[in-house]
């Protein structure tokens, strides 16, 4: 099976840069995946991307060395399994607040006897290779988003879940859940403490912790602080910033 180079880097203690695809287009997915990210995530939670467009985006990413990931919109196992069948090499699951939720998530991403992922690997085999089914449990990345106060309270139990590969903080939802204004790099003391608690729990469990950032500079700061799965904003954020700057310069 084609190795999951992003997972290998994380297991080796290295940091990983992840591109974030909010624009529902195989063309912009291909552009992003060509820029040297270790992995690229197709967002099906907040982006206006449906499953069939996501498949074309996964196909575009597959023409590059970037590892294709997908964020699902809920804890429903069926879309997780379907995106893995479509060739995603990892699933990012939002709003994981308890160990039970984390267990349900990883169960959907692992074939028996470890989990209960249903058989039907479709594009998984085309992208991964003929031995996909026997190797998928080792190669597929499982990333749980911690983005609620309850998730922070339970973070040690979540991090201890076998087969969960990484924790990933959604700072905007974390702010909202703690009653603060959403901001990727909030300096609110409660938010700062919650984010630090997740980082420390990941370190205790020996699992990498990631965070969504608003820019590459912000991601550099997070990396210095110990985060190892870094998202420097999305394709839509980048396009907005560049277009705004161009218009401002010409105005
Ligand atoms: C958040 O900040 O809540 C996220 O989910 C980032 O994608
Ligand atoms: Mg979120």
């Amino acid at each position: 099976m084609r190795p999951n180079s992003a997972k290998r880097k994380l297991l080796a203690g290295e940091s990983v840069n992840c591109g974030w695809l909010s624009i529902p287009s195989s063309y912009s997915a291909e552009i992003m995946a060509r820029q040297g990210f270790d992995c690229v995530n197709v967002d099906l939670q907040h982006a206006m991307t449906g499953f069939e467009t996501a498949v074309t985006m996964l196909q575009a990413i597959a023409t590059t060395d970037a590892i294709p990931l997908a964020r699902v919109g809920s804890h429903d196992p069926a879309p997780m399994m379907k995106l893995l069948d479509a060739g995603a090499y990892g699933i990012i699951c939002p709003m994981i607040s308890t160990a039970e939720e984390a267990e349900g998530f990883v169960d959907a991403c692992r074939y028996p006897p470890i989990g209960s992922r249903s058989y039907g690997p479709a594009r998984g085999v085309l992208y991964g290779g003929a031995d996909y089914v026997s190797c998928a449990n080792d190669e597929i990345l499982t990333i749980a988003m911690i983005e609620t106060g309850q998730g922070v309270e339970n973070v040690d139990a979540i991090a201890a879940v076998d087969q969960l590969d990484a924790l990933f903080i959604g700072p905007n939802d974390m702010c909202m859940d703690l009653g603060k204004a959403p901001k990727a790099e909030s300096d609110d003391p409660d938010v700062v403490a919650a984010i630090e608690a997740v980082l420390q729990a990941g370190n205790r469990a020996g699992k990498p912790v990631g965070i969504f950032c608003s820019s590459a500079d912000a991601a550099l700061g997070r990396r210095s602080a110990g985060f190892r799965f870094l998202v420097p904003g999305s394709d839509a954020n980048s396009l907005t910033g560049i277009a705004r700057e161009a218009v401002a310069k010409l105005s």
Side-chain angles (χ1 to χ4, degrees):
M1 178 171 169
R2 182 198 299 244
N4 187 334
S5 49
K7 182 165 179 173
R8 305 251 168 125
K9 275 181 113 170
L10 288 171
L11 288 175
E14 295 172 41
S15 67
V16 157
N17 301 324
C18 180
W20 197 266
L21 306 181
S22 294
I23 300 173
S25 155
S26 60
Y27 178 43
S28 53
E30 189 176 11
I31 292 171
M32 288 287 283
R34 283 259 166 239
Q35 304 314 315
F37 288 109
D38 298 296
C39 49
V40 178
N41 176 63
V42 180
D43 186 18
L44 288 96
Q45 185 187 22
H46 292 300
M48 281 138 280
T49 302
F51 177 76
E52 282 166 25
T53 303
V55 174
T56 68
M57 295 167 76
L58 292 169
Q59 288 171 317
I61 299 164
T63 67
T64 77
D65 290 334
I67 295 296
L69 307 178
R71 176 168 75 169
V72 290
S74 75
H75 297 174
D76 181 354
M80 299 179 193
M81 295 186 195
K82 196 159 164 148
L83 283 157
L84 292 174
D85 289 345
Y89 251 32
I91 298 290
I92 300 178
C93 184
M95 297 281 180
I96 294 288
S97 298
T98 65
E100 292 69 31
E101 289 172 350
E103 277 158 9
F105 161 45
V106 299
D107 182 74
C109 297
R110 299 288 186 240
Y111 283 123
I114 298 175
S116 58
R117 179 178 169 193
S118 174
Y119 178 83
R123 260 205 87 248
V125 172
L126 297 179
Y127 176 70
D131 56 349
Y132 175 89
V133 174
S134 57
C135 303
N137 283 352
D138 292 328
E139 298 298 335
I140 298 301
L141 255 175
T142 56
I143 303 176
M145 292 198 72
I146 311 295
E147 45 187 351
T148 63
Q150 191 191 10
V152 178
E153 278 167 31
N154 293 323
V155 69
D156 281 306
I158 294 169
V161 168
D162 190 34
Q163 301 296 324
L164 182 67
D165 296 316
L167 306 174
F168 177 53
I169 299 170
N172 294 290
D173 274 311
M174 184 73 87
C175 289
M176 296 285 284
D177 195 65
L178 298 178
K180 322 285 177 174
K183 196 165 181 223
E185 284 85 33
S186 171
D187 57 5
D188 181 280
D190 294 340
V191 176
V192 170
I195 287 174
E196 183 60 23
V198 176
L199 180 60
Q200 294 309 326
N203 291 345
R204 279 193 293 279
K207 296 206 174 157
V209 183
I211 187 159
F212 188 91
C213 307
S214 65
S215 67
D217 285 338
L220 269 178
R222 295 293 197 188
R223 193 169 69 187
S224 310
F227 290 92
R228 293 205 285 114
F229 180 87
L230 297 151
V231 179
S234 69
D235 49 5
N237 297 147
S238 303
L239 191 60
T240 304
I242 290 162
R244 186 178 291 152
E245 192 183 309
V247 171
K249 276 193 184 152
L250 293 172
S251 298

